[in-house]
């Protein structure tokens, strides 16, 4: 007896058949709109989600402000660590420093905050960006209050101190603005 040859395998052309392809996509649940109005191209994107909606829509100038803040914190920190007399003299216009230790400790604290600022510059996580902006706003606010209290106690008034107070208020306003801008819910397009 001769062995019977099986019929040649027929390749199914269901992917070229439009109706069959649409039925397959309907069974898989892709191609149509979901509850959020998004159209998924594949089951994987449907299960994993669309990463675009998790991306932070950055307000204009945020990264520039983060860079300026990091440079500012780093520069003042290095100046406080290396040249405490000159920093104190620049702020309090000729008043003598009684001890360099508090100014150097201030420089060390600023250097630590500046490292956080530099790292926040390279992140895309909304929470980290907001926390660094809030840290910045709190720092500038506290510095404004401390310098104002020192002025009330000592009675020293100079152009340098007035510029410092005005700049701190401006920096608080900018940091709070970006804090709220990053935290806003994005508008659906």
């Amino acid at each position: 007896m001769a062995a019977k040859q099986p019929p040649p395998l027929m390749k199914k052309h269901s992917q070229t058949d439009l109706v069959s392809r649409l039925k397959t996509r309907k069974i898989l649940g892709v191609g149509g709109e979901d509850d959020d109005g998004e159209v998924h191209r594949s089951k994987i994107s449907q299960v994993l989600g669309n990463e675009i909606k998790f991306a932070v829509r950055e307000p204009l100038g945020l990264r520039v402000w983060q860079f300026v803040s990091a440079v500012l914190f780093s520069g003042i920190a290095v100046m406080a660590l290396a040249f405490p007399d000159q920093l104190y003299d620049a702020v309090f216009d000729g008043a003598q420093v009684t001890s360099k230790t508090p100014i150097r400790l201030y420089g060390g604290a600023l250097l630590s905050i500046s490292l956080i600022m530099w790292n926040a510059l390279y992140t895309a996580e909304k929470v980290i960006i907001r926390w660094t902006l809030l840290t910045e706003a709190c720092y500038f606010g506290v510095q404004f209050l401390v310098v104002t209290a020192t002025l009330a106690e000592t009675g020293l008034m100079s152009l340098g101190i007035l510029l410092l107070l005005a700049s701190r208020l401006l920096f608080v306003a900018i940091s709070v603005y970006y804090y709220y801008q990053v935290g806003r819910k994005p508008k659906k397009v």
Side-chain angles (χ1 to χ4, degrees):
M1 263 182 136
K4 205 172 181 189
Q5 288 270 339
L9 293 175
M10 297 290 291
K11 189 174 182 183
K12 187 174 179 184
H13 295 286
S14 65
Q15 291 301 319
T16 59
D17 182 14
L18 182 60
V19 175
S20 178
R21 206 163 73 200
L22 290 175
K23 284 181 186 176
T24 304
R25 291 180 68 78
K26 189 171 185 175
I27 290 169
L28 288 174
V30 295
E33 287 188 7
D34 63 1
D35 296 337
D36 295 330
E38 295 180 18
V39 178
H40 297 282
R41 295 186 167 275
S42 69
K43 195 65 177 175
I44 293 173
S45 71
Q46 187 178 10
V47 171
L48 295 178
N50 189 357
E51 74 279 352
I52 294 172
K53 67 180 172 185
F54 297 115
V56 176
R57 290 194 48 164
E58 295 176 354
L60 189 63
L62 172 67
R63 295 301 180 172
V64 173
W65 174 245
Q66 286 181 307
F67 178 75
V68 167
S69 297
V71 168
L72 181 81
F73 274 79
S74 299
I76 294 174
V78 168
M79 190 170 176
L81 288 170
F83 311 109
D85 294 328
Q86 287 80 0
L87 180 66
Y88 192 83
D89 184 46
V91 174
F92 292 105
D93 223 13
Q96 291 299 316
V97 178
T98 55
S99 176
K100 294 179 183 180
T101 305
I103 299 170
R104 286 197 168 124
L105 287 172
Y106 168 73
L110 276 185
L111 190 61
S112 300
I113 294 173
S114 75
L115 292 175
I116 294 169
M117 298 296 170
W118 283 113
N119 285 324
L121 183 63
Y122 299 108
T123 188
E125 290 187 42
K126 189 178 184 177
V127 175
I128 294 174
I129 294 171
R130 290 192 79 208
W131 271 106
T132 55
L133 290 167
L134 186 62
T135 301
E136 209 173 320
C138 289
Y139 166 77
F140 289 132
V142 167
Q143 188 179 29
F144 176 81
L145 293 174
V146 167
V147 172
T148 304
T150 304
L151 286 178
E153 287 175 2
T154 62
L156 291 174
M157 189 61 73
S158 69
L159 181 62
I161 292 175
L162 291 177
L163 286 175
L164 177 75
L165 290 175
S167 68
R168 294 315 174 228
L169 282 178
L170 177 68
F171 294 163
V172 166
I174 293 171
S175 296
V176 168
Y177 168 76
Y178 282 125
Y179 175 79
Y180 283 113
Q181 289 298 314
V182 171
R184 282 185 13 187
K185 299 268 185 211
K187 295 178 183 175
K188 288 209 173 192
V189 180

